Amino acid sequence: MQWYVVASVLTILTSSQGILTTLSQSNGGYKYDYATVPFLAEVFKLIVSTVLLWRECQSSPPPKMTTEWKSVRLYPIPSIIYLIHNNVQFATLTYVDTSTYQIMGNLKIVTTGILFRLFLKRKLSNLQWMAIGLLAIGTTTSQVKGCGEASCASLFSSPIQGYLLGLLSACLSALAGVYTEFLMKKNNDSLYWQNMQLYTFGAIFNMARLILDDFRSGFEKGPWWQRLFNGYDITTWLVVLNLGSTGLLVSWLMKYADNIVKLYLGIMICMMSLHMYFAPPSMLVDLPLTTKPAPQSLVEVSVDRSTDS
């Protein structure tokens, strides 16, 4: 039952991220500093994980928590990888358009499978490799525009630097996910204790990014903590809540499932969309049941009985 609940909620959260982010815009831009959103999301995840760990510590037996430095020192690595990945994303978009970038992003499906095999030592069957390949091809096919909308040659007209950076971005995204899964499964520590370590370093690195932005701008708008909530409204807070909740659910999947399962969650959205688009209306709308008249033979029997009485 937990699988269905987590998969359903994560699908809803993931599919609504783009909608909420778009709704938070004003006149095509953001009234708030969008760099504060991931920082607040990390803080939210850290607070939730701390509360859940505290509750878990009240139970018997207490949860396992490894505090040795040789274990703790591994947790900043995913945050560093994600930090590099975010900068590579912006660099890639200076060479390619968003459509090409989105298509190249599907490479992470294949790179995840490769790193899944190399780092986690999970052997995939030939059928599983074929399934991963078909998933990458299928998602790419659905995103390629027809030649009538834009020239097909435009997908291959970007500088070579853009494609190399796109490949690097896909590899970094897959590496961060697989390495995080490795951390989650390398011992039997409490999930909430592992999350606390991940999100502590995540918050620190995101805060470092805000400080770096201050130095780049010469503190023109003041220090980051004074403008932290500037321009925030209910929609912006929903974006933060969405990102934070998604991260918590993904960590649960990495602890008890794997990155391949996370990739296939997107298929649920595609299947639901296909069903809603092509199914006949009678299958999607509850139509009132029509009452059929009783068979003639039953009516005649009823009349005969009333006459006899």
Side-chain angles (χ1 to χ4, degrees):
M1 185 61 182
Q2 284 182 325
W3 280 103
Y4 293 106
V5 173
V6 172
S8 301
V9 175
L10 187 57
T11 299
I12 295 172
L13 291 175
T14 303
S15 59
S16 61
Q17 281 180 0
I19 299 173
L20 290 174
T21 304
T22 303
L23 290 175
S24 69
Q25 295 178 353
S26 177
N27 297 324
Y30 301 97
K31 294 186 295 184
Y32 58 91
D33 183 358
Y34 57 82
T36 62
V37 172
F39 169 72
L40 291 175
E42 292 294 319
V43 172
F44 168 76
K45 292 185 288 186
L46 179 59
I47 293 173
V48 172
S49 299
T50 303
V51 172
L52 293 175
L53 179 64
W54 176 80
R55 291 186 58 184
E56 196 175 41
C57 289
Q58 307 304 311
S59 61
S60 182
K64 181 182 177 182
M65 294 184 291
T66 303
T67 56
E68 298 160 353
W69 172 244
K70 65 179 182 179
S71 176
V72 175
R73 68 184 179 183
L74 300 176
Y75 283 85
I77 297 177
S79 299
I80 296 174
I81 297 175
Y82 279 121
L83 185 64
I84 298 173
H85 173 254
N86 291 337
N87 286 280
V88 171
Q89 274 185 312
F90 286 105
T92 305
L93 288 170
T94 62
Y95 293 101
V96 303
D97 56 34
T98 53
S99 299
T100 304
Y101 177 79
Q102 189 174 12
I103 292 171
M104 289 193 301
N106 294 322
L107 289 171
K108 70 181 178 182
I109 298 174
V110 178
T111 54
T112 296
I114 296 173
L115 295 175
F116 191 77
R117 174 70 180 92
L118 294 177
F119 283 88
L120 299 182
K121 307 299 182 183
R122 302 284 185 83
K123 187 175 181 179
L124 301 177
S125 66
N126 292 335
L127 186 62
Q128 288 174 317
W129 280 115
M130 289 175 61
I132 292 174
L134 285 173
L135 177 62
I137 294 172
T139 52
T140 301
T141 302
S142 67
Q143 292 168 353
V144 174
K145 294 182 179 180
C147 292
E149 299 179 28
S151 174
C152 292
S154 65
L155 295 175
F156 307 101
S157 61
S158 302
I160 187 63
Q161 297 96 316
Y163 298 113
L164 292 176
L165 287 171
L167 177 61
L168 177 60
S169 177
C171 291
L172 288 172
S173 177
L175 178 61
V178 172
Y179 188 85
T180 302
E181 181 180 342
F182 163 75
L183 288 180
M184 291 291 187
K185 292 181 176 177
K186 76 183 190 71
N187 55 37
N188 294 324
D189 280 6
S190 165
L191 169 64
Y192 308 126
W193 168 241
Q194 293 174 319
N195 279 348
M196 276 188 61
Q197 297 172 85
L198 281 174
Y199 303 145
T200 296
F201 288 111
I204 290 173
F205 281 107
N206 276 279
M207 182 173 62
R209 187 262 172 95
L210 291 172
I211 295 173
L212 182 61
D213 288 345
D214 284 345
F215 279 100
R216 285 176 174 174
S217 64
F219 291 87
E220 181 181 355
K221 299 180 180 179
W224 65 272
W225 60 85
Q226 291 184 359
R227 65 176 195 278
L228 185 59
F229 306 119
N230 288 355
Y232 269 62
D233 55 20
I234 184 63
T235 308
T236 314
W237 283 111
L238 287 175
V239 174
V240 174
L241 182 62
N242 183 292
L243 288 175
S245 302
T246 301
L248 291 169
L249 291 178
V250 168
S251 69
W252 188 93
L253 280 178
M254 289 183 176
K255 180 73 171 179
Y256 301 110
D258 56 52
N259 273 275
I260 302 298
V261 172
K262 185 183 71 172
L263 290 176
Y264 273 95
L265 281 174
I267 296 298
M268 295 176 60
I269 303 175
C270 298
M271 292 175 64
M272 290 167 58
S273 175
L274 284 170
H275 176 70
M276 293 174 65
Y277 188 86
F278 290 106
S282 59
M283 294 181 62
L284 301 176
V285 181
D286 292 331
L287 297 177
L289 295 176
T290 56
T291 57
K292 297 181 179 180
Q296 186 66 26
S297 58
L298 293 179
V299 175
E300 293 177 354
V301 172
S302 174
V303 172
D304 292 342
R305 286 183 178 176
S306 61
T307 305
D308 292 341
S309 61

